[in-house]
Amino acid sequence: MSRIGRVERTTKETAVLVEIDLDGTGRTDIATGVGFYDHMLDQLGRHGLFDLTVKTDGDLHIDSHHTIEDTALALGAAFRQALGDKVGIYRFGNCTVPLDESLAQVTVDLSGRPYLVHTEPENMAPMIGAYDTTMTRHILESFVAQAQIALHVHVPYGRNAHHIVECQFKALARALRYASERDPRAAGILPSTKGAL
């Protein structure tokens, strides 16, 4: 069965289309109008091996906040949709990714219960192009709320803001990939003692 999610979300502030195939090859087509965010979503698709399309038309004449947030909400909803009944998946995933002087550790549980723990170095540069670096946590909050997953992201050290953010997205991609992949030893089994995820 295909594991594809497709979400269209339209408000007075943004119009977002997200399509994700969890069993893809990492092909991406990203256009949000925020260059660095596009770069991060590309990392998510390529390192997660998700085929990912994201098209966002937002009120960038105000700032990038609504565009970034609403894209993350739609992405989380599409990811949840693509997971389907979660039968036969690994459920848990973790990955540690270095990027030069920075390191990100990400652990995920596709639990059905949204929860985020997020730490990163303080006093980062406030902007990367048009990307407000305080939005990284908000992206993760928005994604977690809609995907209904437990996510722990920890950056114990790093100096360069670009590296600090990018290694988080790369590690997130890999952790999501490992958690959502099908476990050949658990075909037809829901990975929960409760019988529900």
Side-chain angles (χ1 to χ4, degrees):
M1 292 181 62
S2 64
R3 299 193 300 160
I4 296 172
R6 186 179 193 277
V7 169
E8 292 186 73
R9 186 177 192 278
T10 302
T11 70
K12 291 181 179 179
E13 298 167 340
T14 61
V16 184
L17 167 67
V18 173
E19 294 179 344
I20 187 168
D21 182 349
L22 300 185
D23 301 310
T25 59
R27 290 182 290 112
T28 65
D29 183 10
I30 314 291
T32 68
V34 182
F36 183 76
Y37 193 35
D38 290 355
H39 180 43
M40 294 303 96
L41 294 175
D42 184 60
Q43 300 298 319
L44 189 68
R46 290 180 188 271
H47 290 282
L49 288 183
F50 307 133
D51 289 345
L52 180 61
T53 297
V54 178
K55 301 293 181 184
T56 304
D57 183 15
D59 55 359
L60 294 176
H61 61 285
I62 295 175
D63 71 5
S64 62
H65 186 107
H66 300 142
T67 296
I68 291 172
E69 175 183 47
D70 290 1
T71 300
L73 290 167
L75 179 61
F79 184 81
R80 180 180 174 205
Q81 185 185 106
L83 281 174
D85 60 13
K86 302 181 187 176
V87 168
I89 64 170
Y90 282 101
R91 177 179 167 178
F92 302 100
N94 70 321
C95 188
T96 300
V97 169
L99 184 54
D100 295 349
E101 85 297 338
S102 300
L103 186 78
Q105 302 163 326
V106 173
T107 304
V108 63
D109 176 10
L110 306 182
S111 61
R113 297 183 307 277
Y115 200 90
L116 175 67
V117 176
H118 178 250
T119 61
E120 63 183 3
E122 296 181 2
N123 302 315
M124 271 198 295
M127 301 296 291
I128 305 170
Y131 180 88
D132 178 347
T133 57
T134 66
M135 286 301 292
T136 303
R137 180 183 176 88
H138 195 46
I139 291 165
L140 298 173
E141 289 170 336
S142 301
F143 179 78
V144 161
Q146 292 299 311
Q148 294 192 348
I149 64 174
L151 178 64
H152 292 237
V153 178
H154 178 52
V155 182
Y157 48 81
R159 290 189 310 274
N160 181 275
H162 188 128
H163 294 165
I164 290 169
V165 176
E166 185 170 341
C167 66
Q168 291 179 66
F169 275 87
K170 287 179 173 176
L172 174 63
R174 286 284 176 151
L176 289 173
R177 171 184 165 185
Y178 300 149
S180 63
E181 282 183 340
R182 292 186 172 102
D183 182 349
R185 297 178 59 198
I189 299 172
L190 187 70
S192 171
T193 56
K194 295 181 180 181
L197 279 177

